[in-house]
Every structure is written in C-alpha cells, then in structure tokens.
C-alpha cells in the first residue's frame, strides 16, 4: 500500500496539507506548482543520462587524441614515413655515388679546371636551346649595363653633392659663355679696325712717296684719318 503524499492536499488532512492549503488560498503557491512537484524524475533515469554524457565525453576525447596523432604524423611524415624515408635514402645514395665518381676522377677534374674553358661546347638538351638563347641575350644586356648600374649605385650617397657641383659648373659655363661672347665682339671690332687701317696704308704710302719726290718734310704724326685730310688740303 502506497504511503500518503504529504504534499497532496486531497489526501488525509495533516499539518503539511493544511499549510499548503493556506499557501494556495493566500496565492503564495499555485496548484500548478504543486502538480509539477509531484512529477519528480527517477534517480535511475538521471544516472543513465549522466553515464551517456560521460561516455560521449570520453569518445570526444578519444577522437581529439586521434586527430592530434594524425596531425603529428602529417607534420613528421617526411621524417618517419617509409615512403619519404625511401626517397631520402635514394637521394643520399645517388649523391654518394656522385661523390665517389668525383673522387675517382679527382686528378682529371683538377687538370681540367686548371685549363681555360675557351672554345669548348657545353652539351645542352634541345628542349632548353630557346631558353638558353634568351638567357644569353639577357646576360649580354646585363653585362653591358653592369658598369653603369654599379656607378649609379656608388653615386647615390653623393647625389646631393654632385648636384651642387653640377649647379656650380653650369654657373661657370654661363660666365665663360658670356666672356666668350664679349671676346668675340672685341675680335670683330678689332678686325674691322684692322681693315680700316689696311685700307688707309696704301694711300699714306702714296702720299709719302709724293712728298719725297717734291722734297717736302712732314712731321711724324700718327696714322689717323685727320692727318690724311690735312695732307690732301695742303696739296
């Protein structure tokens, strides 16, 4: 026989029932709240749910651990994976064979390196011939411009000083051009004066010969146009 529920006001009156009736009458507790309190979950149902949650958490932890192991294996695959190790062993073996061949031919290689490599043809596969032509063109262009590029790089720290020197040189060139123009004008004037003097010399010489023939003594005067005019008037 089931025991009476002390929280049920419909059962036999008790102190708890009377207290609940009082709370319901005063409005502090509703009948719905009392009905919800009746439907309590069983302990075994909650325990099974807790066990399921624990199992799911353990499975998640296991999966995370497997993911970390896979990531670690991926990061270290080139060290521990057999296929990568086989490739590395093959590469090392080929390098070892090459070094052994170099050591065997050490004397002949040394003699060949001592000789200048001129007028010799290097074997190149036909697939790379077009690339080699383009590469040689680029190399020739680079070598032609190398000195200019190096000179430009060297002059970069002294660029301001070089600009100042260029400005001073341009100013000096302007002064020299001005002086040259003045000198050219003076030379032209001098040439014109020389032409005038040269044109007057024959006339003066003719007058002197005429005066010598007539025994006329003339004072020594500078060869100017005024003397020439006075001599003509004296005639």
């Amino acid at each position: 026989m089931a025991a009476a529920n002390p929280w049920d006001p419909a059962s036999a009156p008790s102190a708890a029932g009377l207290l609940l009736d009082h709370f319901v009458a005063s409005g502090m507790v509703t009948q719905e709240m009392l009905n919800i309190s009746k439907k309590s979950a069983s302990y075994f149902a909650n325990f099974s749910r807790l066990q399921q949650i624990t199992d799911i958490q353990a499975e998640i932890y296991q999966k995370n651990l497997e993911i970390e192991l896979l990531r670690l294996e991926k990061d270290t695959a080139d060290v521990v994976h057999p296929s990568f190790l086989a490739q590395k062993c093959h590469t090392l073996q080929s390098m070892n064979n090459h070094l052994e061949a170099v050591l065997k031919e050490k004397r002949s290689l040394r003699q060949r390196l001592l000789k200048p490599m001129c007028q010799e043809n290097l074997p190149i596969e036909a697939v790379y011939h077009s690339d080699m032509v383009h590469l040689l063109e680029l190399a020739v262009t680079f070598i032609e411009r190398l000195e200019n590029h190096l000179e430009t790089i060297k002059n970069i720290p002294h660029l301001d000083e070089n600009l100042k020197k260029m400005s001073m040189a341009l100013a000096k060139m302007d002064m020299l051009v001005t002086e040259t123009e003045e000198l050219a004008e003076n030379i032209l004037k001098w040439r014109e004066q020389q032409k005038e003097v040269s044109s007057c010399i024959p006339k003066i010489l003719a007058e002197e010969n005429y005066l010598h023939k007539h025994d006329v003594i003339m004072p020594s005067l500078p060869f100017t146009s005024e003397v020439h005019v006075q001599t003509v008037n004296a005639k």
Side-chain angles (χ1 to χ4, degrees):
M1 184 175 180
N5 189 356
W7 302 103
D8 188 3
S11 60
S14 61
L18 295 174
L19 182 62
L20 288 176
D21 291 336
H22 177 70
F23 286 156
V24 171
S26 62
M28 296 179 63
V29 178
T30 62
Q31 189 63 36
E32 294 178 355
M33 295 173 66
L34 295 176
N35 294 332
I36 291 172
S37 63
K38 293 180 182 179
K39 299 178 181 179
S40 59
S42 62
Y43 172 77
F44 292 103
N46 293 331
F47 182 78
S48 63
R49 289 179 182 176
L50 181 62
Q51 186 66 31
Q52 290 178 359
I53 292 171
T54 304
D55 294 340
I56 292 172
Q57 289 179 349
E59 186 177 358
I60 291 172
Y61 177 77
Q62 184 67 26
K63 295 298 182 183
N64 289 331
L65 184 62
E66 291 177 0
I67 290 171
E68 290 295 329
L69 291 174
L70 290 174
R71 287 178 180 174
L72 182 62
E73 184 180 357
K74 180 182 178 181
D75 295 336
T76 60
D78 56 343
V79 179
V80 298
H81 200 275
S83 62
F84 290 101
L85 290 176
Q87 291 178 3
K88 287 190 174 183
C89 289
H90 179 70
T91 304
L92 290 174
Q93 187 64 35
S94 61
M95 290 177 64
N96 188 21
N97 295 333
H98 179 69
L99 291 175
E100 288 181 356
V102 169
L103 291 175
K104 288 180 181 178
E105 303 294 335
K106 181 174 67 175
R107 182 176 297 177
S108 60
L109 288 173
R110 184 179 296 175
Q111 292 176 356
R112 184 175 179 183
L113 291 173
L114 291 174
K115 291 182 358 181
M117 294 183 63
C118 59
Q119 297 180 355
E120 292 187 6
N121 297 325
L122 298 176
I124 299 175
E125 297 181 7
V127 181
Y128 304 109
H129 284 182
S130 59
D131 297 331
M132 286 302 300
V133 171
H134 182 61
L135 182 61
L136 289 174
E137 291 178 356
L138 293 176
V140 170
T141 305
F142 176 77
I143 292 170
E144 288 177 351
R145 301 177 180 176
L146 180 61
E147 293 184 0
N148 295 330
H149 293 332
L150 292 176
E151 192 68 24
T152 304
I153 293 171
K154 290 179 181 178
N155 292 331
I156 286 174
H158 309 287
L159 187 60
D160 296 335
E161 185 178 355
N162 292 334
L163 289 174
K164 291 179 181 178
K165 290 180 179 179
M166 288 178 65
S167 300
M168 294 173 63
L170 288 173
K172 289 181 179 179
M173 285 181 65
D174 292 336
M175 293 174 61
L176 291 173
V177 168
T178 305
E179 293 177 357
T180 305
E181 290 176 353
E182 293 178 355
L183 182 60
E185 291 178 357
N186 293 331
I187 291 172
L188 292 174
K189 291 179 180 178
W190 180 79
R191 284 183 178 179
E192 290 177 357
Q193 292 176 358
Q194 291 296 318
K195 287 180 180 180
E196 291 179 357
V197 172
S198 299
S199 62
C200 293
I201 286 174
K203 296 179 180 180
I204 295 171
L205 291 175
E207 292 175 356
E208 287 181 354
N209 292 330
Y210 177 78
L211 292 174
H212 281 298
K213 288 179 181 180
H214 293 83
D215 295 328
V216 178
I217 299 172
M218 292 290 293
S220 59
L221 295 174
F223 295 118
T224 60
S225 59
E226 293 179 356
V227 173
H228 177 67
V229 172
Q230 290 176 2
T231 306
V232 173
N233 293 330
K235 291 179 182 178

